[in-house]
Amino acid sequence: MAKKKVKFCCNSCGYESPKWMGRCPGCGEWNTFVEEVEIVTKGPRGAFQHSSDTVVQKATPIVKVQTEEETRINTGMEELNRVLGGGIVPGALVLIGGDPGIGKSTLLMQVSALLSQKGNRVLYISGEESMRQTKLRAERLGVASEELYIYSETNLELIHQTIEEVAPKFVVVDSIQTIHHPEVTSAAGSVSQVRECTGELMRIAKTKGIAIFLVGHVTKEGQIAGPRLLEHMVDTVLYFEGERHHTYRILRSHKNRFGSTNEIAIFEMIYNGLKEVNNPSELFLQERSHGAPGSTIVASMEGTRPILVEIQSLVTPTSFNYPKRMATGLDHNRVQLLMAVLEKRMGMLLQAQDAYIKVAGGVKLDEPAIDLAVLTSIVSSYKEQPVKSTDCFIGEVGLIGEVRRVSRIEQRVQEAQRLGFKRAFIPASNLGGWEYPEGIQVIGVETINESLRACFNDL
């Protein structure tokens, strides 16, 4: 006879406890425990199997395992291919998260259409919309294909049966928090439901070679809702980011077993869906103000792609004892560090100044090569002297004021030259071993003192 077991699970991290607790020992969050009833039955527990029941796997030396090059499937979107590592790997389980209304369902509907138009059978499962609503959204996006199947269901057993009947090569589940396993008594979206449903979909993907895309809801902190185990189970985790007041969206890879996690894809939201942005540097610089103090340009690397971005600073006197430091799109601690370097190495009195630094366009930069541009932007606003609009700054700044070497310098300078920049300030240690592009002056600097004196007259 089945027994009922009551347990409490944390909605944030999945921590389980036999009794309710106010604060989760696993993640430290408060008031996240919910009661779940688990029915315990006797019998063998189903385990994930990579092979059929008739084949028994044996341990094999890794050098004797036969492999062949996995053919990736082109999605029809070059930006998405870049983030996925070159295309979709058959049998991959991909999780896409993002804020409500950011465009997750729109992106996957467009990808489903592109894949189905190439003769691939796609099954789009919606747990949030009826089939008629899904059809209306597809018509708005101009999606129509005989190989694209839509299905509105939240019961995992029925979904499994439908996958067996349709036999698709690709499956989209929108969203994983709405799917429920009939043998799990907790509500859809709970820790147990998300874990069990994801595990079952992972087994389907691996045993049948079907690539499955899961849409995940996010919490108010921006993390994917459900247990952290969800991100560990899938092969790839993508986050769809963007500002509400901007039309473009950024798809960023946070985990990828089949490619780099540094790549980003940029899309523009238009009236009939998402449009790829093949030249993001021009997009981020098209509204740049020339000759404004506090504005500098940096050539940043996002994976294998160089992107030119504007950094803006506003330094103003303060009447308070403790000056304010605010950073948008940058690490706040990095800004504090660079301002301390300016005070110590350049003798600038910034203790009585508020500083506001922003990456224009809502982009987030976290690589060390942006240090020289941020530092120059702060000095430009503090001195009320603009830098030349054709100058570009690349380099990491150390605590003693030295400008340190950065990676992929040739690609960065080539991107700056392509967009019409005339001077590029780079670390002196990056000068040798590559050919400078024509039309741009490459200036090597060893210290911030040397760089700032070349930009400003009164230093």
Side-chain angles (χ1 to χ4, degrees):
M1 181 177 178
K3 296 182 180 179
K4 290 186 177 181
K5 178 183 176 183
V6 178
K7 62 180 180 180
F8 295 85
C9 295
C10 173
N11 272 333
S12 296
C13 66
Y15 184 89
E16 296 183 0
S17 171
K19 63 179 182 178
W20 185 88
M21 289 186 288
R23 186 183 185 188
C24 174
C27 61
E29 296 291 330
W30 289 89
N31 298 324
T32 56
F33 276 89
V34 293
E35 181 180 346
E36 293 186 1
V37 178
E38 181 182 6
I39 298 179
V40 182
T41 58
K42 293 184 178 181
R45 180 177 177 83
F48 172 71
Q49 296 178 346
H50 286 276
S51 59
S52 63
D53 296 335
T54 58
V55 179
V56 179
Q57 294 284 350
K58 295 182 179 180
T60 307
I62 190 171
V63 294
K64 295 184 179 180
V65 177
Q66 299 295 325
T67 61
E68 58 183 17
E69 186 176 353
E70 192 71 50
T71 302
R72 294 177 181 261
I73 301 169
N74 187 354
T75 63
M77 288 186 174
E78 291 300 324
E79 293 292 300
L80 182 58
N81 287 339
R82 179 185 291 108
V83 174
L84 291 174
I88 303 174
V89 176
L93 190 61
V94 182
L95 176 65
I96 299 181
D99 293 333
I102 202 70
K104 303 182 295 295
S105 300
T106 300
L107 174 65
L108 290 177
M109 179 62 76
Q110 290 182 238
V111 172
S112 299
L114 292 171
L115 290 170
S116 61
Q117 288 169 4
K118 296 180 180 180
N120 301 303
R121 182 164 296 181
V122 182
L123 176 60
Y124 191 102
I125 302 168
S126 177
E128 301 174 346
E129 300 173 309
S130 66
M131 295 180 66
R132 182 175 177 274
Q133 291 173 327
T134 306
K135 170 67 174 177
L136 290 173
R137 182 158 56 86
E139 289 179 345
R140 179 178 62 84
L141 299 174
V143 174
S145 174
E146 291 290 336
E147 293 296 325
L148 176 57
Y149 290 71
I150 59 175
Y151 183 52
S152 179
E153 185 54 66
T154 59
N155 189 313
L156 186 60
E157 285 191 356
L158 297 178
I159 290 174
H160 192 175
Q161 293 176 10
T162 305
I163 293 176
E164 294 283 351
E165 295 170 1
V166 177
K169 291 186 65 177
F170 303 93
V171 174
V172 176
V173 179
D174 186 6
S175 64
I176 186 60
Q177 278 81 10
T178 62
I179 308 301
H180 73 276
H181 197 297
E183 295 181 4
V184 181
T185 58
S186 56
S190 65
V191 174
S192 299
Q193 286 284 6
V194 171
R195 180 176 61 240
E196 294 297 328
C197 291
T198 304
E200 179 67 17
L201 291 171
M202 179 178 69
R203 187 189 66 80
I204 295 172
K206 302 303 180 185
T207 56
K208 298 183 179 299
I210 301 173
I212 300 180
F213 288 84
L214 307 178
V215 175
H217 296 165
V218 296
T219 62
K220 60 183 179 180
E221 290 84 13
Q223 301 294 324
I224 293 180
R228 200 68 176 180
L229 178 66
L230 175 61
E231 298 186 31
H232 291 289
M233 294 172 70
V234 300
D235 298 312
T236 305
V237 179
L238 306 179
Y239 277 86
F240 215 22
E241 305 170 353
E243 300 288 340
R244 282 191 180 273
H245 306 292
H246 291 90
T247 59
Y248 59 86
R249 305 286 187 263
I250 298 176
L251 185 66
R252 194 182 301 271
S253 174
H254 282 235
K255 171 189 175 181
N256 193 350
R257 289 176 179 158
F258 311 118
S260 171
T261 57
N262 297 320
E263 300 288 353
I264 66 169
I266 301 177
F267 301 90
E268 183 179 7
M269 181 67 79
I270 56 179
Y271 68 96
N272 60 349
L274 291 164
K275 176 184 176 183
E276 294 181 87
V277 177
N278 296 318
N279 193 348
S281 296
E282 290 184 358
L283 172 69
F284 294 135
L285 298 181
Q286 63 184 0
E287 298 181 11
R288 178 192 176 199
S289 299
H290 297 275
S295 173
T296 57
I297 302 299
V298 60
S300 176
M301 292 297 299
E302 291 291 347
T304 58
R305 166 194 281 177
I307 298 178
L308 266 62
V309 184
E310 180 186 8
I311 294 178
Q312 298 176 343
S313 295
L314 179 63
V315 180
T316 60
T318 181
S319 57
F320 298 99
N321 293 330
Y322 188 77
K324 182 178 290 187
R325 307 280 190 257
M326 292 187 64
T328 303
L330 295 168
D331 182 14
H332 178 266
N333 294 326
R334 183 187 297 273
V335 173
Q336 296 270 37
L337 182 147
L338 293 175
M339 295 191 71
V341 172
L342 278 176
E343 288 196 8
K344 182 69 174 180
R345 305 304 172 191
M346 299 300 298
M348 295 184 179
L349 188 60
L350 300 176
Q351 300 175 2
Q353 305 287 328
D354 287 339
Y356 307 88
I357 294 90
K358 175 185 178 182
V359 180
V363 187
K364 295 180 181 179
L365 302 178
D366 58 357
E367 66 160 340
I370 65 175
D371 288 353
L372 186 59
V374 174
L375 187 142
T376 306
S377 174
I378 294 172
V379 175
S380 173
S381 179
Y382 177 68
K383 292 290 186 181
E384 283 293 325
Q385 294 184 23
V387 299
K388 292 183 178 180
S389 60
T390 55
D391 286 355
C392 177
F393 300 88
I394 309 164
E396 178 186 357
V397 175
L399 292 180
I400 60 175
E402 82 279 17
V403 181
R404 305 176 69 90
R405 173 190 293 270
V406 299
S407 62
R408 300 181 181 270
I409 189 64
E410 186 173 2
Q411 293 174 264
R412 300 174 194 262
V413 175
Q414 286 177 350
E415 180 71 6
Q417 184 269 340
R418 191 179 64 83
L419 291 178
F421 286 84
K422 301 301 180 183
R423 293 198 304 178
F425 290 83
I426 70 171
S429 55
N430 277 120
L431 283 177
W434 57 285
E435 185 177 350
Y436 308 149
E438 296 181 0
I440 186 171
Q441 181 184 4
V442 179
I443 302 174
V445 293
E446 295 183 352
T447 63
I448 59 172
N449 193 347
E450 185 179 344
S451 174
L452 294 176
R453 289 186 183 278
C455 297
F456 306 102
N457 299 324
D458 59 346
L459 287 178

